[in-house]
Amino acid sequence: MDLSAISPTLLIASLMVAATPILLAALGEMVVEKSGVLNLGVEGMMIMGAVFGFIAAVETGSPWFGFLMAALGGALMALLFGFLTQILLSNQVATGLALTLFGLGLSALLGQGYVGIKANSLGRVDMGWLSDLPFVGRVLFGHDPIVYLSLALVAAVWAFLRYTRAGLILRAVGESHDAAHALGYHVRRVRMAAIAFGGACAGLGGAYLSLVRVPQWTEGMTAGAGWIALAIVVFASWRAGRVLIGAYLFGGITVLQLNLQTAGARVPVELLSAAPYLVTILVLVLISIRAGRGGDAPADLAKPFHAST
Amino acid sequence: MKFTTLLAGVLSLGLAVPVAADGHDPVKVGFIYVGPIGDGGWTYQHDQGRLAVEEHFGDKVETVFQESVPEGADAERAITQMALGGADIIFTTSFGYMDPTNAVAAKFPDVKFEHATGFKREHPNVSTYDARFYEGRAVLGTIAGHLTETNKIGYIASFPIPEVIQGINSTYLHASKVNPDVEMVVTWAYTWFDPAKEADAARAMIDQGVDIILQHTDSTAPQAAAQEANENGGRVFTFGQASDMAQFKPTPRVASIIDEWSPYYIDRVQAVIDGTWEQQASWGGMAEGEVVIGEITDAVPAEVKAEAEQMIADIKSGDYHPFTGPISKQDGSAWLEEGEVAEDGELLGMDFYVEGIEGEIPN
């Protein structure tokens, strides 16, 4: 085994790239769940974001426009879910699953003419002398803008939920929609806004896959990333900071195990491949032992709301 | 519950549809795919075969397919559903469908089953078919051995099954034959199709000094990762897998190993139409046109290209077998004597690395 072949700098840098799609999607889903809605359609929204973003970036040559369209596409898919579950009061679990299947099919249709094309990618942000620093230069100051955007979003969501009045209302709606309604808040409107935000984040995450991480369009390319994002929300017990930790842990172990294999580590490969999932389960168990109770899920999660009841 | 009533209704409706009897027109041909038809690799190529069947037979056949069917319990459901839907012949196109295919075949003796890359034929209505990909990989290994400058070639492997191990061994044998310093880095992805993971695996290899990447997974993501590395001043070469992956020409993709299933599919559907279908185990290679080497680009030096083309001709004519002795196993014990050629049975159950490859095969 030649562990010296693994460069910690490159390892951490690629860890951040590997974690960003699930981080974005999980962060959006966390806000949705905080408002009391369970949207299992993350995978579908991600892949729609991936295809929208890719098509927009190829057609206009601008990756920025691609990311914008990906956020819009994800939000549109989410609003479809919102319309069905909030206005027509359909079952959230079933509608979310349907959204995933719908997204996978529709994205395959839309992306047919785009297989094998390459879109312009986002360059790394050049931070002058900062990027040239040893180690930290590459790890902290050598990424593309979306990595920084995702980190900023984590901070923004955390501050929003903790310190703002709007954040308080959102949490109130998720904990007890009847009480929030009695106080005169528009439960449906708040939830629709949260759903749209969640969709936009999932869309961005998908576009990060198709524009930066892979980078190309292939059918079914999310390959389960949306489900991992859903798991990370639970893992994080609905807290923004822990979403970040969860996503980086999962992404980190994925990248680490590939690097270990390449370096010829004498660890059973099956174990290495299962490691990200094993660690996720382990941490889930540890967190629930420490919490000592059922969990921190919003009280009205996945419960339908109708003003007349 | 309304929903359960509805579900029960749908189920009974589905079961009430009579299973189509033989002799009807048109013949219904089913395909079960492991990935999406747009994967640009393995499944894409099988679907090209399906389209060739449609084109060849026209109105005489009807084809159906289901894509992205997981290898596991769900595969049995998908295959059963296709058989219930009246398919006359079903091609299950991935190794992991082996047991589900045989299980379903027991229940539908009138339906013909063809399992790709498997070895179990438990019922008279199950055939298996495969292609001698190791022949193509010998050619790719030769090119890789010549092109590498870091003497590290990487292989993104999917699952530890004989077909993949044949590929690794054949590639390494021929790379080290032309370049004794070559080192083989094998990374197991445990997936046939996950673009993000494949790209990550390719990047991990490139970061550690690998400059030639071969893959046994189905997406074009490793090619894209290599292209990106080259744009940033790297020198990485790749080979198309399963399909040509022509969009990455002339570099990083310098050649490709293409699966050409059309002749086999047309042949077998014809047999069903004629009523001459019988159980068989098919293992065609370059000579049968089932394994094709895609265009070798100009990024490969002319003399290397000539050497590769000579090898293609020799394999086709039967003058050369990629597993010709002397070859030792990884532990140093002799496997093939000087001039001895490996038997098919041994290749089909191959579960060891040849001498010189580091690491262990996961079980």
Side-chain angles (χ1 to χ4, degrees):
Chain A
M1 165 161 72
D2 184 16
L3 280 186
S4 61
I6 303 177
S7 144
T9 321
L10 290 175
L11 187 68
I12 297 174
S14 49
L15 167 171
M16 292 172 80
V17 170
T20 297
I22 39 177
L23 171 61
L24 282 165
L27 193 67
E29 177 65 14
M30 191 200 80
V31 172
V32 177
E33 293 190 12
K34 272 283 185 194
S35 80
V37 178
L38 182 66
N39 184 356
L40 295 182
V42 181
E43 179 92 359
M45 300 188 297
M46 274 186 95
I47 193 124
M48 284 302 280
V51 75
F52 266 125
F54 191 79
I55 292 175
V58 166
E59 295 300 335
T60 64
S62 157
W64 281 111
F65 188 69
F67 277 106
L68 184 70
M69 289 310 289
L72 274 176
L76 269 178
M77 282 288 283
L79 284 175
L80 177 67
F81 169 86
F83 176 73
L84 291 169
T85 57
Q86 303 305 306
I87 314 283
L88 303 181
L89 299 178
S90 68
N91 180 291
Q92 291 181 10
V93 171
T95 310
L97 293 174
L99 194 71
T100 288
L101 296 174
F102 176 62
L104 287 171
L106 186 61
S107 63
L109 183 70
L110 290 173
Q112 266 179 357
Y114 293 88
V115 177
I117 304 179
K118 191 173 188 307
N120 286 338
S121 191
L122 286 173
R124 289 186 191 133
V125 183
D126 190 10
M127 297 202 189
W129 62 273
L130 281 176
S131 305
D132 296 332
L133 290 173
F135 190 71
V136 286
R138 182 71 185 86
V139 170
L140 290 180
F141 306 110
H143 286 286
D144 56 86
I146 303 296
V147 169
Y148 299 113
L149 176 72
S150 68
L151 292 173
L153 265 178
V154 172
V157 164
W158 171 76
F160 170 81
L161 289 174
R162 193 177 172 104
Y163 293 116
T164 69
R165 183 176 165 75
L168 187 65
I169 295 170
L170 184 108
R171 284 189 286 147
V173 165
E175 292 296 340
S176 170
H177 49 221
D178 290 327
H181 178 65
L183 288 169
Y185 296 121
H186 297 277
V187 173
R188 202 185 271 169
R189 222 179 278 171
V190 170
R191 287 190 172 165
M192 281 300 239
I195 290 169
F197 176 77
C201 284
L204 279 178
Y208 194 78
L209 270 178
S210 66
L211 290 175
V212 181
R213 189 171 167 209
V214 171
Q216 58 172 354
W217 164 252
T218 321
E219 244 179 69
M221 65 182 299
T222 44
W227 300 109
I228 293 161
L230 276 164
I232 284 175
V233 175
V234 182
F235 170 95
S237 44
W238 292 269
R239 282 176 215 186
R242 289 192 192 165
V243 166
L244 177 73
I245 296 171
Y248 274 35
L249 194 64
F250 191 89
I253 295 175
T254 308
V255 171
L256 179 66
Q257 70 97 351
L258 289 169
N259 273 282
L260 281 176
Q261 277 199 53
T262 306
R266 300 234 176 244
V267 186
V269 177
E270 300 92 328
L271 204 62
L272 286 176
S273 290
Y277 307 94
L278 291 178
V279 170
T280 307
I281 293 169
L282 189 73
V283 178
L284 269 175
V285 170
L286 289 179
I287 282 179
S288 65
I289 288 173
R290 223 186 67 179
R293 55 200 156 97
D296 312 296
D300 274 359
L301 185 60
K303 286 187 191 155
F305 171 74
H306 194 272
S308 64
T309 54
Chain B
M1 282 284 286
K2 264 185 192 162
F3 181 67
T4 29
T5 332
L6 187 73
L7 198 69
V10 171
L11 277 178
S12 58
L13 199 70
L15 293 173
V17 174
V19 177
D22 265 7
H24 65 174
D25 209 39
V27 167
K28 199 166 182 178
V29 185
F31 292 85
I32 302 279
Y33 298 141
V34 71
I37 55 172
D39 68 353
W42 177 262
T43 294
Y44 172 82
Q45 213 60 27
H46 280 284
D47 200 55
Q48 293 297 306
R50 178 184 70 84
L51 294 172
V53 166
E54 276 197 338
E55 198 183 337
H56 183 84
F57 292 103
D59 293 341
K60 282 194 284 180
V61 297
E62 181 196 346
T63 67
V64 288
F65 67 89
Q66 192 173 351
E67 51 186 340
S68 300
V69 176
E71 299 182 322
D74 198 43
E76 193 161 330
R77 182 197 58 78
I79 302 166
T80 305
Q81 202 173 9
M82 202 166 264
L84 280 172
D88 298 289
I89 179 165
I90 298 176
F91 295 94
T92 55
T93 63
S94 191
F95 183 79
Y97 300 147
M98 185 155 65
D99 293 322
T101 302
N102 281 287
V104 178
K107 288 182 265 177
F108 296 91
D110 293 335
V111 181
K112 318 283 187 257
F113 292 86
E114 296 261 356
H115 176 238
T117 71
F119 53 81
K120 283 190 191 167
R121 296 169 293 276
E122 291 169 357
H123 309 284
N125 57 333
V126 182
S127 281
T128 55
Y129 63 106
D130 200 347
R132 296 176 186 268
F133 301 118
Y134 65 85
E135 294 183 348
R137 299 213 180 262
V139 179
L140 304 192
T142 304
I143 299 174
H146 280 295
L147 284 186
T148 181
E149 278 179 359
T150 61
N151 291 332
K152 271 178 121 172
I153 61 176
Y155 199 104
I156 303 175
S158 44
F159 294 95
I161 58 172
E163 179 204 320
V164 176
I165 295 166
Q166 286 159 24
I168 294 170
N169 284 335
S170 180
T171 305
Y172 176 76
L173 278 175
H174 293 85
S176 60
K177 199 171 276 181
V178 297
N179 178 354
D181 296 329
V182 96
E183 184 191 333
M184 183 89 149
V185 175
V186 182
T187 302
W188 296 92
Y190 276 92
T191 178
W192 288 114
F193 179 79
D194 183 344
K197 198 170 187 183
E198 293 169 46
D200 286 345
R203 286 206 188 97
M205 287 182 175
I206 295 167
D207 287 348
Q208 294 190 32
V210 167
D211 66 348
I212 311 266
I213 296 176
L214 296 109
Q215 62 181 90
H216 218 125
T217 50
D218 301 341
S219 89
T220 49
Q223 319 272 334
Q227 190 172 48
E228 187 191 55
N230 288 352
E231 279 164 13
N232 293 323
R235 181 188 176 275
V236 183
F237 297 109
T238 60
F239 295 90
Q241 152 73 8
S243 91
D244 193 46
M245 304 192 175
Q247 60 269 27
F248 294 96
K249 276 178 193 169
T251 51
R253 173 228 169 276
V254 291
S256 61
I257 172 168
I258 304 175
D259 315 346
E260 186 52 79
W261 302 106
S262 312
Y264 185 77
Y265 285 160
I266 290 170
D267 201 42
R268 298 304 276 167
V269 172
Q270 185 69 52
V272 171
I273 292 173
D274 298 344
T276 56
W277 190 96
E278 270 185 7
Q279 181 181 70
Q280 66 171 38
S282 161
W283 206 18
M286 286 182 142
E288 290 80 4
E290 289 186 18
V291 178
V292 178
I293 298 295
E295 184 203 329
I296 300 171
T297 67
D298 292 338
V300 178
E303 66 271 19
V304 177
K305 190 173 171 177
E307 189 182 337
E309 276 164 357
Q310 184 58 46
M311 183 178 271
I312 295 171
D314 288 346
I315 292 175
K316 272 189 184 168
S317 66
D319 289 343
Y320 179 65
H321 189 291
F323 289 107
T324 305
I327 302 175
S328 299
K329 295 186 181 181
Q330 189 184 33
D331 57 16
S333 63
W335 175 40
L336 297 175
E337 300 294 328
E338 175 81 41
E340 192 188 350
V341 168
E343 283 168 27
D344 280 1
E346 263 182 310
L347 292 178
L348 286 168
M350 192 172 238
D351 60 354
F352 57 88
Y353 283 148
V354 294
E355 191 171 29
I357 301 182
E358 298 276 325
E360 277 167 45
I361 301 175
N363 334 295

